[in-house]
């Protein structure tokens, strides 16, 4: 999430009244900021709905969504990646991790998933993640306690292409939550 540059913002009376709140949004991770914004609007009487509430067909279903089922090694990589994301999420760091053959290759932070996958492709090209065949997985799931109504983890065509460029065998997401 890009933080706004307040140097070019003009404030009206309503913004001046909420200035302490607005300035407080410069601290903390994305989920901290977004959760506070949601609470701000709910305190004003608004109801906030997530994408899954209004378009549930966009959420990933359970089971294998592609043509290839994960191998036992892939399943082990998924399990480790999910543990990593769970631990990072408690610190409000990121929603994704890449694990290759039991090795944590990358974790998502402020750069975002696609940039993390770009680093993975560079590491693979340098021989740090094997060079032959597809191996490893990207796991992308909500952080523990994440405000999913406004920050639902997403996987789009660019992310899928970048995972393929990184030589990964697959992608794991939280069913009904991504």
């Amino acid at each position: 999430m890009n933080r706004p540059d307040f140097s070019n913002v003009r404030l009206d009376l309503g913004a001046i009244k909420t200035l302490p709140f607005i300035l407080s949004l410069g601290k903390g991770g994305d989920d901290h900021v977004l959760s506070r914004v949601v609470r701000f609007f709910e305190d004003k009487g608004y109801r906030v709905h997530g994408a899954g509430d209004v378009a549930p067909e966009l959420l990933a279903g359970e089971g294998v969504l592609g043509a290839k089922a994960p191998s036992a090694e892939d399943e082990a990589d998924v399990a480790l990646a999910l543990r990593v994301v769970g631990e990072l999420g408690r610190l409000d760091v990121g929603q994704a991790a890449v694990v290759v053959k039991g090795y944590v290759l990358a974790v998502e932070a402020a750069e975002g998933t696609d940039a993390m996958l770009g680093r993975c492709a560079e590491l693979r090209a340098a021989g740090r993640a094997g060079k032959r065949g597809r191996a490893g997985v990207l796991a992308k799931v909500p952080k523990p306690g994440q405000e999913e109504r406004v920050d639902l983890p997403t996987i789009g065509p660019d992310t899928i292409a970048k995972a393929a460029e990184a030589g990964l065998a697959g992608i794991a997401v939280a069913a009904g939550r991504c």
Side-chain angles (χ1 to χ4, degrees):
M1 183 172 84
N2 293 330
R3 307 298 164 101
D5 176 9
F6 288 111
S7 64
N8 296 321
V9 174
R10 288 192 193 163
L11 302 177
D12 62 8
L13 183 59
I16 291 170
K17 288 180 181 179
T18 60
L19 195 56
F21 169 77
I22 292 169
L23 293 175
S24 76
L25 296 177
K27 297 178 182 175
D30 290 354
D31 192 57
H32 173 78
V33 171
L34 292 170
S35 294
R36 296 204 58 223
V37 169
V38 166
R39 280 195 308 276
F40 173 83
F41 283 106
E42 288 178 331
D43 290 347
K44 303 282 185 217
Y46 293 96
R47 289 189 339 185
V48 177
H49 297 278
D53 297 331
V54 296
E57 67 277 6
L58 295 178
L59 300 177
E62 288 189 31
V64 176
L65 302 177
K68 182 182 170 208
S71 67
E73 185 174 64
D74 296 334
E75 294 279 1
D77 286 347
V78 168
L80 178 55
L82 292 175
R83 285 200 323 269
V84 168
V85 174
E87 291 301 317
L88 290 174
R90 286 183 236 300
L91 300 171
D92 196 9
V93 174
Q95 302 173 328
V98 173
V99 174
V100 179
K101 297 182 180 185
Y103 174 67
V104 179
L105 185 64
V107 295
E108 179 189 36
E111 81 277 15
T113 306
D114 289 351
M116 176 192 67
L117 289 170
R119 284 191 291 121
C120 291
E122 291 171 10
L123 289 168
R124 183 176 174 88
R128 298 287 309 267
K131 286 193 174 191
R132 286 183 244 192
R134 298 206 168 273
V137 296
L138 161 66
K140 183 149 183 177
V141 298
K143 304 170 200 171
Q146 180 168 326
E147 178 51 78
E148 295 178 38
R149 292 175 294 174
V150 294
D151 190 18
L152 194 66
T154 59
I155 298 287
D158 290 343
T159 303
I160 293 169
K162 289 187 183 305
E165 290 168 14
L168 299 180
I171 299 172
V173 297
R177 300 178 68 205
C178 188

